[in-house]
Amino acid sequence: MNNITDVPVRDVGIRLGQSLKLVGAAECGADAGALIPDGEVRVDGQVETRRGRQLERGPVVEVTTPARIERYRVA
């Protein structure tokens, strides 16, 4: 199991697609947009299909790609 990395955000929250770019799971918005509807992204264990979902501090995001599984917490 991978460790969970805390990812600090400047504001109260961040959109899911933006957070994927911030942690390097997606290089651009189009990449983030491709991961999310395919069910590759979970927020607190639930599949999330909304790229614009607002994440406040606390939730754990898990991204599954062919190369790895990445987990991070919005802090």
Side-chain angles (χ1 to χ4, degrees), residues 4 6-7 9 12-13 43-44 55-61 72-75:
I4 298 173
D6 283 335
V7 177
V9 294
V12 174
V43 177
D44 287 337
L55 301 173
E56 295 182 4
R57 290 181 172 98
V60 173
V61 179
Y72 63 93
R73 179 181 301 114
V74 178

Side-chain angles (χ1 to χ4, degrees), residues 1 7 11-12 17-18 32-33 35 42-43 51 59-60 64-66 68:
M1 178 176 262
V7 177
D11 298 320
V12 174
Q18 293 171 326
L35 286 171
R42 294 178 177 267
V43 177
R51 178 177 163 188
V60 173
T64 305
T65 65
R68 65 179 191 246

Side-chain angles (χ1 to χ4, degrees), residues 14-66:
I14 188 169
R15 295 199 187 279
L16 179 58
Q18 293 171 326
S19 74
L20 294 173
K21 292 187 297 183
L22 181 65
V23 301
E27 290 188 28
C28 63
D31 291 344
L35 286 171
I36 294 169
D38 287 345
E40 304 296 332
V41 179
R42 294 178 177 267
V43 177
D44 287 337
Q46 300 295 316
V47 172
E48 181 56 69
T49 58
R50 298 172 293 162
R51 178 177 163 188
R53 176 177 174 176
Q54 186 72 21
L55 301 173
E56 295 182 4
R57 290 181 172 98
V60 173
V61 179
E62 180 178 299
V63 184
T64 305
T65 65

